[in-house]
Amino acid sequence: MDLSGRTVGYDELRTLKMLALAGALGGESKVSCSGLAGKLDASTQTASRRLQRLDEEGLVEREIVSDGQWVSITSEGEALLQREYAHYQRIFESQVGVTLTGALTSGMNEGGHYITLPGYMRQFTEKLGYEPFAGTLNVDLDAESVRERARMDALDPTVIEGWEDEERTYGPAYCYPATVEFDAGTYDQAHVIAPERTHHGDDQLEVIAPDKLREQFDADDGDTITIHVHE
Amino acid sequence: MDLSGRTVGYDELRTLKMLALAGALGGESKVSCSGLAGKLDASTQTASRRLQRLDEEGLVEREIVSDGQWVSITSEGEALLQREYAHYQRIFESQVGVTLTGALTSGMNEGGHYITLPGYMRQFTEKLGYEPFAGTLNVDLDAESVRERARMDALDPTVIEGWEDEERTYGPAYCYPATVEFDAGTYDQAHVIAPERTHHGDDQLEVIAPDKLREQFDADDGDTITIHVHE
DNA sequence: ATTACTAAGCACCGAGTAA
DNA sequence: TTTACTCGGTGCTTAGTAA
């Protein structure tokens, strides 16, 4: 299973979790290798190495001072912890699924172009059971939802394979079944579609559906909509 | 940091988590080494070995059949996952603390004897700021609370050191600040006291306080009481 | 197809050391 | 005190094989 693609061992994640518990998530936290080594039940060398590695991977930022170091977890590191948390939530909480809210936007609508390409379209028909309307519904997620979104990683998506033509390659995408709530009503045969690797902090969400939702629900830019991503 | 004392590597925990996600928590789940290997991004041999190890540690139970194996996570394994979950909750949830409910009981009241020993009493005065009443309030936790209790591990307790006299040694104990709710009212200067290593499935909880709570709140055996363990 | 053993390779760990 | 380097030893991983 991916830990965000990189070569991050699970022991590193454990170290990252320790740092988060030590308060390195909100902002900087003063850490010493010997102190960390104690918590990890390992040598100071190992603690030092783990911190270096986390640094190299971009999961933490450090400022080394004479009597220790100031460590803060980056947004990438936070995303990793969120993903792990989402797994445990999925294990222990009966309430699965993620509810996101945001404002409808036209955005750049790049997605709308891509999904019509035959390499993708064929797979939608096959794997989702419908041919999506040739455009995506774009949502500007609110801050809370941008964070919540990480929990989608705990669900298992329908994987749309990447492919290539003569000119370029097209990356894989993940589809999550979703229900969309508009002011005018609810639509429940939609899917959230996301590139294989969602950048943390991305506040754009794209939805596909067999129908032109914007028209069907008479929705305009700025309307607040709620997306319930289910399992 | 302890993973329940035993030599359980973090990689094993990761495997256990995967099994839980595969449904091995509620009951048995059919697993094959190759499938598990895929999820773990490791070889089938490693998957096999991890399962063996989890079995040896008593964290899972297995029944090997011709085309795979049926795996179920033991209560000990579940406790381990709960502890890990509690850590993440502590990281991400502002609402920390654990609320437990149960029935008042006289029990054997072993604790009541121990706490009066000078080796402990001295530390209570010093570290908790009061001299506890010479008896513990014993609570029979309900099933839900027995599970919830694992989350206390994510809080950091006041540690009462172990000691010894000529005859025997006395183990260390953990104290967690707590508020106790009786029918007759609420008391908020209490502590839950637990031996260093709580046995999973233990449904007994012991509370100490400067006053004789049973008398002060006119409580009898069988009364339902709520204990809120805070940070 | 399974699970799991053995053996070779390699990555990780920690002692010692430097700055 | 720190952090982090080098360097042996250990133990985990994987390929191959057996059942």
Side-chain angles (χ1 to χ4, degrees):
Chain A
M1 187 52 141
D2 64 302
L3 283 171
S4 99
R6 267 295 161 71
T7 329
V8 189
Y10 214 59
D11 283 333
E12 255 98 58
L13 179 62
R14 184 170 171 226
T15 311
L16 194 64
K17 190 194 77 177
M18 283 301 172
L19 292 170
L21 285 168
L25 221 154
E28 292 189 321
S29 176
K30 182 75 167 296
V31 167
S32 84
C33 284
S34 58
L36 185 60
K39 288 181 206 280
L40 292 170
D41 195 30
S43 66
T44 55
Q45 295 88 327
T46 295
S48 168
R49 229 187 338 242
R50 295 263 172 87
L51 283 166
Q52 284 177 67
R53 202 115 54 161
L54 289 172
D55 194 353
E56 285 161 18
E57 300 288 347
L59 300 173
V60 304
E61 276 173 0
R62 300 190 296 161
E63 189 194 352
I64 295 165
V65 292
S66 60
D67 62 339
Q69 48 195 297
W70 290 94
V71 178
S72 67
I73 295 175
T74 64
S75 54
E76 222 177 303
E78 182 176 347
L80 193 62
L81 291 167
Q82 275 277 9
R83 273 199 282 276
E84 192 68 9
Y85 182 34
H87 282 144
Y88 282 97
Q89 286 188 310
R90 191 182 179 190
I91 290 170
F92 290 111
E93 305 294 337
S94 49
Q95 184 264 359
V96 290
V98 185
T99 300
L100 306 171
T101 54
L104 196 55
T105 176
S106 324
M108 300 187 271
N109 211 340
E110 311 167 75
H113 166 246
Y114 287 118
I115 64 163
T116 60
L117 298 173
Y120 288 130
M121 206 44 112
R122 190 169 22 79
Q123 295 187 65
F124 291 140
T125 314
E126 183 188 317
K127 297 175 180 172
L128 303 183
Y130 64 85
E131 181 166 301
F133 168 75
T136 59
L137 191 77
N138 288 37
V139 183
D140 247 333
L141 296 175
D142 53 50
E144 167 76 23
S145 297
V146 169
R147 268 178 278 122
E148 280 287 320
R149 167 191 227 157
R151 299 188 181 166
M152 277 173 51
D153 291 343
L155 307 175
D156 37 41
T158 301
V159 179
I160 304 295
E161 316 277 357
W163 52 286
E164 54 186 305
D165 62 11
E166 308 77 34
E167 294 173 22
R168 54 162 290 192
T169 62
Y170 298 86
Y174 289 165
C175 289
Y176 304 84
T179 300
V180 187
E181 269 180 58
F182 295 88
D183 292 338
T186 299
Y187 188 95
D188 63 9
Q189 282 200 63
H191 284 85
V192 167
I193 183 165
E196 189 183 26
R197 309 188 56 172
T198 313
H199 312 71
H200 176 77
D202 187 0
D203 62 350
Q204 290 285 313
L205 192 78
E206 296 191 81
V207 176
I208 59 174
D211 300 297
K212 184 171 184 181
L213 301 181
R214 225 174 227 279
E215 206 164 74
Q216 184 167 332
F217 292 94
D218 194 27
D220 296 306
D221 277 14
D223 286 8
T224 295
I225 68 173
T226 300
I227 298 112
H228 186 75
V229 186
H230 23 83
E231 201 171 21
Chain B
M1 190 50 145
D2 64 302
L3 284 170
S4 98
R6 267 294 159 73
T7 329
V8 190
Y10 214 58
D11 284 333
E12 255 99 58
L13 179 63
R14 184 171 170 224
T15 311
L16 194 65
K17 191 194 76 178
M18 284 302 173
L19 292 169
L21 285 168
L25 220 154
E28 291 190 323
S29 176
K30 181 75 167 296
V31 167
S32 84
C33 285
S34 58
L36 185 60
K39 289 181 205 279
L40 291 169
D41 195 30
S43 67
T44 55
Q45 294 89 329
T46 295
S48 169
R49 204 157 15 78
R50 294 263 173 87
L51 283 166
Q52 286 177 65
R53 202 113 56 159
L54 289 173
D55 194 351
E56 285 162 17
E57 300 289 345
L59 300 172
V60 304
E61 276 173 1
R62 300 189 296 161
E63 188 193 352
I64 295 165
V65 291
S66 60
D67 64 339
Q69 48 195 299
W70 289 93
V71 178
S72 68
I73 295 175
T74 65
S75 56
E76 219 177 305
E78 182 176 348
L80 194 60
L81 290 168
Q82 275 277 11
R83 272 200 282 277
E84 192 68 9
Y85 182 33
H87 282 143
Y88 283 97
Q89 286 187 311
R90 190 180 182 194
I91 291 170
F92 290 112
E93 306 293 339
S94 48
Q95 183 265 357
V96 290
V98 184
T99 299
L100 306 171
T101 54
L104 195 56
T105 177
S106 323
M108 298 186 273
N109 212 340
E110 311 169 74
H113 166 245
Y114 286 118
I115 65 164
T116 60
L117 299 173
Y120 288 128
M121 207 44 114
R122 191 168 21 80
Q123 296 187 64
F124 292 139
T125 314
E126 184 187 317
K127 296 176 182 173
L128 304 183
Y130 63 85
E131 180 165 303
F133 170 76
T136 60
L137 192 76
N138 288 36
V139 183
D140 247 331
L141 296 176
D142 54 50
E144 167 76 23
S145 296
V146 170
R147 269 179 277 121
E148 280 287 320
R149 168 191 225 159
R151 301 192 179 163
M152 277 173 50
D153 290 343
L155 307 175
D156 38 40
T158 301
V159 180
I160 304 296
E161 317 277 357
W163 51 284
E164 54 186 305
D165 61 12
E166 308 77 34
E167 295 174 21
R168 54 162 290 193
T169 62
Y170 298 86
Y174 289 165
C175 289
Y176 304 84
T179 300
V180 187
E181 269 180 58
F182 296 88
D183 292 338
T186 300
Y187 189 94
D188 62 8
Q189 280 200 66
H191 285 85
V192 167
I193 183 164
E196 189 183 26
R197 310 187 56 171
T198 313
H199 312 72
H200 176 76
D202 188 1
D203 62 351
Q204 291 285 314
L205 193 78
E206 296 192 81
V207 177
I208 59 174
D211 299 297
K212 183 172 186 182
L213 300 182
R214 224 175 227 279
E215 203 163 77
Q216 185 167 332
F217 292 94
D218 194 28
D220 296 305
D221 276 13
D223 287 7
T224 296
I225 68 173
T226 301
I227 298 114
H228 186 75
V229 185
H230 24 81
E231 201 172 23

